[in-house]
Amino acid sequence: MKKANGIVLDKPGKPSYDSPGSFRVIVLLQTISKILQRVIAFRLSLVARALKLVHHNQCGSLPSLSLFDGAVSLVDTVRTLHRPGLNVSTLFLDIKRGFDNVNASILCSSLRDVGVAHYIVSWIGSVLSQRTCRVLFLGVP
């Protein structure tokens, strides 16, 4: 379950396909791997909430906290702060590929320190180590 195939696809509408930026890679994982990741992600979200590791305004990546919920909460907060005449500003962050750059041993150590169950920490450590992806371009590795 640690091996995947990356399929290289053309991005439509590019004037030239001479640069790597003209392509995207879709990674295909085994179905059982995807199912296990969903189960563990759900369990992690429960643990993260219980241990207060996730800010109460976090949305979009946890069950029952959609982007719509975040937008409604933001509008409510802005309107509440405008009533007494306060100025309001908002900062949006989208940390792309942040998890790809996480040091697995530091993450696992941090999770252990805050009381995450050993089996979950072990699973995360395993998922983040010794993974391979074979890239296929036009069906050829």
Side-chain angles (χ1 to χ4, degrees):
M1 289 192 289
K2 293 185 175 223
K3 295 180 181 179
N5 288 326
I7 310 299
V8 179
L9 301 173
D10 300 345
K11 288 182 180 176
K14 292 289 181 178
S16 169
Y17 291 96
D18 295 335
S19 72
S22 300
F23 302 92
R24 81 170 48 112
V25 178
I26 305 296
V27 178
L28 305 175
L29 301 171
Q30 293 179 17
T31 303
I32 190 69
S33 176
K34 288 182 174 186
I35 293 169
L36 286 172
Q37 286 182 10
R38 294 286 303 241
V39 168
I40 293 293
F42 180 76
R43 289 185 180 182
L44 270 176
S45 71
L46 297 176
V47 169
R49 285 181 178 162
L51 296 174
K52 299 190 185 326
L53 300 176
V54 178
H55 191 273
H56 65 277
N57 285 337
Q58 172 68 34
C59 62
S61 60
L62 297 171
S64 76
L65 291 173
S66 70
L67 192 55
F68 179 77
D69 296 324
V72 169
S73 176
L74 176 63
V75 169
D76 180 63
T77 301
V78 168
R79 286 183 178 159
T80 300
L81 293 173
H82 271 171
R83 284 186 198 118
L86 297 174
N87 291 325
V88 180
S89 62
T90 304
L91 173 66
F92 294 95
L93 298 174
D94 184 10
I95 304 172
K96 190 174 184 179
R97 297 187 183 128
F99 200 69
D100 295 345
N101 298 307
V102 169
N103 182 308
S105 62
I106 292 173
L107 175 62
C108 289
S109 176
S110 297
L111 292 172
R112 274 191 296 276
D113 290 347
V114 296
V116 175
H118 176 72
Y119 77 95
I120 294 177
V121 174
S122 295
W123 185 86
I124 291 170
S126 174
V127 165
L128 295 176
S129 65
Q130 300 175 354
R131 295 180 71 90
T132 61
C133 181
R134 180 176 66 161
V135 177
L136 304 173
F137 184 70
L138 299 175
V140 181

